[in-house]
């Protein structure tokens, strides 16, 4: 009997229902991510309270960006050389200790920002080392056909964390001080630590692989050379950069909120929340993703949809319509992310997954920042409308050219994954 329409539309929870290790890891990551977002909000509020300057708040992001990019690549190589479970435990434990250090700084009422910057930078190092290891564990815990559902569930947890974490952080800081948010983050990390503690050893290498090959020390350059020779995997990154660099409107939200919609800071908040809301809805109604086999084609369509939604957003002057198209863009981004990550996990050999996940982290972190710079520059040279609409059109053109020249990616079939 066919599944009810509702169950086919809603997120597929079979990875959670059928695989206990994945269920514990997903729940632990979801809880700890909410705690991390609470901490990020608390740090921003604390820095502003000390300095009264938005510039110094912006430096918090810079302190985390550089370690994420540098150690994202290095962390991927380490994840391909050691027991990923142990690496995950060590780095998550380090992040837990650093959250406790933030609580100590808050309790001691230290009115200096440099300890906060230093701790945030070290937390970024832990995250950059932890993320490739954690992501490359997933294909070892689930069969290939469950990977799209697992990645959609990861996106769902991330969306909830991005929406609930900052809100809860502001509430806890307001009632009980900065240390309350940091100490709750410490407690939240225990869920992730427990989940990884229960996992079996995660030495890299497919079953039956040459032990000598697995034991050799992987290098970042080796991973980049591998990626350069694999057109389908390489195109997953190029397509994401087409969206995030060419059509990234978020830096213009403060300007367009007043110019286009006659709004204020509350309007800026709505514009910023709309893509996240769309991404969350895309994850909730992701049950159909597991039935898509032409995943490369799906990525191209999703990225093109992102560009089209951004371009139409740039043409509308009605706030509700603008929020709708930003939500559509966020939903398209979720679809693209699910299939790109699934292709990385299924088409790459196990001893390369850590390094590819490291590159994935760098692209996800660095691409939007470069897009912010490009959109801001285009807005100053021309106008916000030209920057947003032109960026969306450029994204559509770029992804069309990618599809025309990367025919293998266009015809990529998840039932026969070829890197």
């Amino acid at each position: 009997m066919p599944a009810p329409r509702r169950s086919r539309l809603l997120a597929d929870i079979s990875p959670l229902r059928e695989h206990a290790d994945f269920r514990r890891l997903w729940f632990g990551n979801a809880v700890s991510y909410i705690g991390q977002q609470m901490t990020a909000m608390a740090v921003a509020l604390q820095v502003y309270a000390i300095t009264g300057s938005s510039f110094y708040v912006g430096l918090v992001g810079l302190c985390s960006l550089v370690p994420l990019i540098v150690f994202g690549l290095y962390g991927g190589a380490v994840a391909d050389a050691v027991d990923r479970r142990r690496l995950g435990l060590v780095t998550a434990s380090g992040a837990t200790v650093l959250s406790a250090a933030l609580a100590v700084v808050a309790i001691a009422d230290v009115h200096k920002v440099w300890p906060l910057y230093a701790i945030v930078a070290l937390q970024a190092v832990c995250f950059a080392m932890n993320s490739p290891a954690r992501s490359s564990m997933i294909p070892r815990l689930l069969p290939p056909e469950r990977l799209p559902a697992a990645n959609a569930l990861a996106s769902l947890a991330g969306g909830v964390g991005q929406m609930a974490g900052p809100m809860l952080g502001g509430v806890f800081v307001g009632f009980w001080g900065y240390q309350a948010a940091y100490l709750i983050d410490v407690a939240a990390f225990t869920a992730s630590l427990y989940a990884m503690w229960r996992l079996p050893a995660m030495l890299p290498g497919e079953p039956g692989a040459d032990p000598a090959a697995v034991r050799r020390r992987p290098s970042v350059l080796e991973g980049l050379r591998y990626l350069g020779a694999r057109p389908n995997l390489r195109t997953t990154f190029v397509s994401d950069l087409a969206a995030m660099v060419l059509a990234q409107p978020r830096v213009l939200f403060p300007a367009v909120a007043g110019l286009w919609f006659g709004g204020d800071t509350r309007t800026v908040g709505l514009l910023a929340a709309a893509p996240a809301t769309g991404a969350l809805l895309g994850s909730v109604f992701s049950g159909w993703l597991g039935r898509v086999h032409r995943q490369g084609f799906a990525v191209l369509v999703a990225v093109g949809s992102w560009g089209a939604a951004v371009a139409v957003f740039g043409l509308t002057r009605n706030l509700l319509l603008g929020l709708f198209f930003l939500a559509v863009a966020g939903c398209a981004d979720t679809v693209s992310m699910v299939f790109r990550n699934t292709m990385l996990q299924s088409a790459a050999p196990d001893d390369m997954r850590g390094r590819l996940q490291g590159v994935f982290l760098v692209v996800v972190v660095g691409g939007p920042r470069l897009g912010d710079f490009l959109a801001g520059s285009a807005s100053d040279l021309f106008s916000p409308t030209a920057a947003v609409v032109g960026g969306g059109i450029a994204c559509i053109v770029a992804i069309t050219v990618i599809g025309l020249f990367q025919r293998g990616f266009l015809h990529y079939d998840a039932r026969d994954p070829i890197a």
Side-chain angles (χ1 to χ4, degrees):
M1 184 174 66
R5 180 174 297 275
R6 182 183 177 195
S7 66
R8 287 182 288 158
L9 283 176
L10 294 178
D12 181 3
I13 63 170
S14 55
L16 300 175
R17 188 175 58 247
E18 298 169 1
H19 303 275
D21 283 337
F22 175 78
R23 180 170 63 247
R24 285 189 291 267
L25 190 62
W26 179 86
F27 178 77
N29 290 340
V31 172
S32 64
Y33 188 66
I34 292 174
Q36 291 168 49
Q37 292 298 306
M38 289 174 57
T39 287
M41 173 57 72
V43 168
L45 293 172
Q46 190 173 2
V47 169
Y48 188 79
I50 294 171
T51 65
S53 167
S54 296
F55 171 77
Y56 285 102
V57 177
L59 287 181
V60 175
L62 184 62
C63 288
S64 61
L65 175 62
V66 174
L68 282 172
I69 291 177
V70 173
F71 285 90
L73 294 174
Y74 178 70
V78 174
D80 284 338
V82 302
D83 181 353
R84 290 164 180 163
R85 169 185 172 272
R86 181 174 297 177
L87 177 61
L89 281 170
V90 170
T91 51
S93 298
T96 305
V97 171
L98 290 167
S99 290
L102 285 172
V104 170
V105 170
I107 293 170
D109 201 23
V110 177
H111 280 275
K112 295 183 182 298
V113 294
W114 69 263
L116 300 177
Y117 290 156
I119 294 171
V120 165
L122 291 173
Q123 282 185 322
V125 172
C126 289
F127 179 79
M129 299 290 288
N130 181 277
S131 182
R134 189 177 64 244
S135 297
S136 56
M137 292 176 187
I138 305 302
R140 300 279 287 269
L141 301 176
L142 298 171
E145 64 272 14
R146 296 300 189 205
L147 290 177
N151 288 314
L153 289 169
S155 176
L156 176 61
V160 171
Q162 287 177 347
M163 295 183 71
M167 179 184 67
L168 291 173
V171 169
F172 285 118
V173 167
F175 279 101
W176 298 289
Y178 306 108
Q179 64 270 19
Y182 301 142
L183 291 173
I184 291 172
D185 188 20
V186 172
F189 266 117
T190 60
S192 180
L193 290 169
Y194 173 75
M196 280 186 281
W197 181 265
R198 292 288 304 274
L199 290 176
M202 288 278 178
L203 292 168
E206 306 284 359
D210 179 8
V214 173
R215 282 196 301 269
R216 77 182 192 282
R217 184 179 296 277
S219 69
V220 173
L221 289 178
E222 182 185 15
L224 294 176
R225 284 195 295 267
Y226 173 86
L227 181 60
R230 302 302 187 278
N232 287 336
L233 296 184
R234 186 175 65 244
T235 305
T236 64
F237 296 108
V238 175
S239 60
D240 186 46
L241 288 173
M244 295 298 101
V245 174
L246 298 176
Q248 180 57 262
R250 66 183 184 181
V251 73
L252 302 179
F253 288 163
V256 304
L259 290 173
W260 296 357
F261 306 116
D264 52 18
T265 55
R266 290 170 293 183
T267 306
V268 177
L270 290 174
L271 294 174
T277 302
L280 183 60
L281 289 174
S283 301
V284 171
F285 296 100
S286 61
W288 58 278
L289 298 181
R291 298 189 292 276
V292 175
H293 301 299
R294 294 278 301 279
Q295 294 178 349
F297 178 72
V299 169
L300 298 177
V301 171
V303 173
S305 299
W306 163 278
V310 169
V312 176
F313 164 72
L315 295 173
T316 185
R317 295 300 178 266
N318 179 278
L319 180 58
L320 290 179
L321 275 177
L323 295 175
F324 170 77
F325 285 110
L326 286 176
V328 171
C331 182
D333 184 47
T334 289
V335 174
S336 169
M337 183 280 297
V338 167
F339 288 127
R340 286 184 292 106
N341 213 353
T342 299
M343 292 172 72
L344 288 179
Q345 292 169 338
S346 57
D350 187 78
D351 61 352
M352 281 289 174
R353 285 175 183 150
R355 278 165 286 184
L356 293 182
Q357 288 296 334
V359 176
F360 184 89
L361 176 64
V362 169
V363 170
V364 167
V365 169
R369 270 73 173 185
L370 184 57
D372 289 342
F373 173 77
L374 184 63
S377 300
S379 178
D380 285 348
L381 287 173
F382 305 104
S383 70
T385 300
V388 177
V389 176
I393 293 173
C395 174
I396 296 171
V397 172
I399 206 66
T400 301
V401 171
I402 290 171
L404 291 174
F405 282 90
Q406 298 294 334
R407 308 295 290 185
F409 188 79
L410 186 66
H411 298 292
Y412 178 93
D413 193 319
R415 293 165 293 191
D416 183 26
I418 298 175

